[in-house]
Amino acid sequence: MKLSEEQIAFYDVAKNFAIEKMAPHAEKWDEEKILPVETLQELAQLGFAGIYVSPDLGGSGLSRLDSTLIFEGLSQGCTSTAAFLSIHNMATWMIDNFGSQELKERFVPDLCSMKKISSYCLTEPGAGSDAGGLRTKAEKSGDHYILNGTKSFISGGGFSDVYVTMVKTDENSISTLVIEKDSEGLSFGGQEKKMGWNSQPTAQVIFEDCKVPVDNLIGQEGDGFKIAMMGLDGGRLNIAACSLGTAQSAYERAVQYVGEREQFGKKLQEFQALQFKLADMCTELEASRLILREAAIKVDDNTSDKTKAAAMAKRFVTDSGFNIVNEALQIHGGYGYLKDYPLERNLRDLRVHQILEGTNEIMRVIIAREILKENK
């Protein structure tokens, strides 16, 4: 697939920034659980905090394909931070794409500059991949909604300024609200202790008679499920891109390592077993890149099979990415297991990509459902 000169430039800018400004600090961010706000604000200055947001409000107005190139590049510096930026982009896009003009003008410019940071709240303690099973309720009372419920595993929970939240406005409809951090009745659980993604805070978001202005409704009541599903199509592409970029960086480290390390009197690259590993890793990277970019084009073009394509890309690329990093770690032997090398952090960070934005088992359900629908 041929990219334009402009698209190649997006990727190069993102990768160069990642290597120069993110990679040298990623170990510290992981160990000390630091969300690098200043780095994120530098990325915002490059236009990467409102990638597919209207330029009229400070966004870059780019495509989903462009965003996959950007996140593939950024994740080669710090997977966790790149993934957090992806979530911020998804929440900001929802406000820009579906919000009223007043709502957009109130929030989007500050989100595009990362003067304010946004989180996306869908998952609940009893409803993970089952978006239709959420229980958080919003009841209208005058010019406010009163919310009760809990959201779980929220990236930015307790830290972000804005929470784009899916709620039930009646038994059969889901709606989307923008909730500000200082809202009455909003609180947060303790920070989760995680395997990876440590450069981003994660906590429960708790609503106890939380008051939210009716004007903070995105779209119309009942539009929430549609908004969530459209957001997830793009989110799945970006998480796949983060897996791809991380795997690319691990593969490059493995190629370098086998050319330097000697065993039994010869370079590791002379052993056919390792040559075969590298061949498989390279092949899976190219296959992942192709399926991801094809899916991104379908989401951009709003094709009838875009949801299936995004699910296929997310399933294939996140599984392949994890396997490639695991192989790179294996090639490094004991050194790969040490925190002196980034591979063990890469492995920890990528593991969650097979779970979030819908588990890869749910991706198979979506793909199969779309296949059978096409054959009716």
Side-chain angles (χ1 to χ4, degrees):
M1 181 181 297
K2 186 173 178 58
L3 301 175
S4 68
E5 290 185 8
E6 188 177 45
Q7 288 171 327
I8 293 170
F10 294 149
Y11 174 79
D12 288 343
V13 167
K15 181 175 180 179
N16 290 337
F17 184 96
I19 292 169
E20 294 172 10
K21 300 286 188 74
M22 297 169 75
H25 309 291
E27 181 181 354
K28 180 178 180 179
W29 296 342
D30 175 69
E31 288 186 354
E32 299 182 16
K33 298 178 174 57
I34 297 169
L35 179 64
V37 176
E38 290 184 2
T39 302
L40 289 167
Q41 290 174 340
E42 286 186 63
L43 287 166
Q45 291 174 12
L46 294 173
F48 294 166
I51 295 172
Y52 23 81
V53 168
S54 168
D56 294 341
L57 294 170
S60 298
L62 301 180
S63 69
R64 296 292 179 166
L65 176 57
D66 298 333
S67 78
T68 64
L69 302 173
I70 290 165
F71 286 110
E72 181 184 343
L74 291 179
S75 60
Q76 296 182 51
C78 179
T79 311
S80 171
T81 304
F84 183 81
L85 186 62
S86 166
I87 296 165
H88 171 88
N89 268 273
M90 178 167 64
T92 302
W93 169 81
M94 288 179 173
I95 300 172
D96 178 63
N97 204 57
F98 297 100
S100 66
Q101 189 62 31
E102 185 274 333
L103 202 64
K104 291 191 283 190
E105 290 176 357
R106 183 149 55 99
F107 288 106
V108 171
D110 282 348
L111 293 173
C112 286
S113 66
M114 293 207 86
K115 181 179 178 181
K116 291 185 177 179
I117 294 175
S118 59
S119 289
Y120 175 59
C121 303
L122 173 63
T123 301
E124 298 187 356
S129 295
D130 179 13
L134 60 85
R135 295 178 179 272
T136 298
K137 290 186 178 180
E139 296 182 351
K140 192 177 288 186
S141 176
D143 57 359
H144 284 80
Y145 288 104
I146 306 300
L147 273 64
N148 283 283
T150 301
K151 299 294 183 177
S152 296
F153 309 120
I154 303 305
S155 292
F159 186 93
S160 292
D161 305 286
V162 174
Y163 298 85
V164 176
T165 305
M166 299 296 162
V167 299
K168 293 191 80 170
T169 40
D170 63 44
E171 283 304 311
N172 299 309
S173 69
I174 296 171
S175 302
T176 309
L177 293 172
V178 180
I179 302 171
E180 296 176 82
K181 187 177 183 179
D182 60 359
S183 297
E184 179 185 338
L186 174 63
S187 62
F188 306 95
Q191 288 299 310
E192 304 289 1
K193 298 176 181 178
K194 299 171 293 185
M195 176 180 178
W197 269 29
N198 287 320
S199 77
Q200 50 173 288
T202 303
Q204 286 192 329
V205 177
I206 303 163
F207 307 104
E208 296 174 302
D209 292 331
C210 177
K211 293 183 68 175
V212 180
V214 169
D215 290 344
N216 282 24
L217 178 70
I218 299 178
Q220 303 297 317
E221 285 193 2
D223 285 349
F225 191 81
K226 174 187 72 175
I227 293 171
M229 294 304 101
M230 290 178 68
L232 286 172
D233 281 344
R236 287 163 183 162
L237 297 175
N238 288 344
I239 286 301
C242 289
S243 289
L244 175 59
T246 306
Q248 178 67 39
S249 127
Y251 163 75
E252 290 172 3
R253 290 180 188 279
V255 171
Q256 181 180 358
Y257 185 77
V258 298
E260 296 171 349
R261 175 79 167 168
E262 291 189 3
Q263 288 284 286
F264 305 105
K266 57 182 180 180
K267 295 281 181 68
L268 291 184
Q269 66 184 16
E270 297 179 49
F271 291 91
Q272 191 175 65
L274 294 182
Q275 292 173 2
F276 283 5
K277 278 185 183 291
L278 293 175
D280 286 343
M281 292 161 73
C282 185
T283 302
E284 289 187 16
L285 281 168
E286 286 303 306
S288 294
R289 196 164 278 116
L290 290 170
I291 194 172
L292 173 58
R293 293 179 183 176
E294 179 67 21
I297 290 170
K298 289 188 174 186
V299 172
D300 279 328
D301 292 344
N302 197 31
T303 64
S304 60
D305 62 342
K306 64 178 182 178
T307 294
K308 181 180 77 170
M312 290 171 64
K314 194 269 182 180
R315 201 292 300 165
F316 184 85
V317 181
T318 58
D319 281 347
S320 295
F322 182 82
N323 291 337
I324 290 165
V325 171
N326 194 40
E327 289 286 20
L329 191 153
Q330 184 73 16
I331 287 170
H332 280 74
Y335 291 109
Y337 200 67
L338 299 179
K339 290 197 173 184
D340 303 75
Y341 289 74
L343 292 168
E344 64 83 31
R345 183 179 72 251
N346 294 158
L347 194 75
R348 288 187 288 107
D349 282 342
L350 282 202
R351 184 60 186 87
V352 74
H353 293 195
Q354 296 166 293
I355 298 171
L356 55 81
E357 306 284 14
T359 66
N360 283 4
E361 288 74 19
I362 291 297
M363 294 305 99
R364 292 176 171 89
V365 171
I366 292 169
I367 295 162
R369 182 182 65 203
E370 293 298 315
I371 291 169
L372 296 175
K373 187 190 299 182
E374 291 167 3
N375 287 342
K376 282 186 179 180

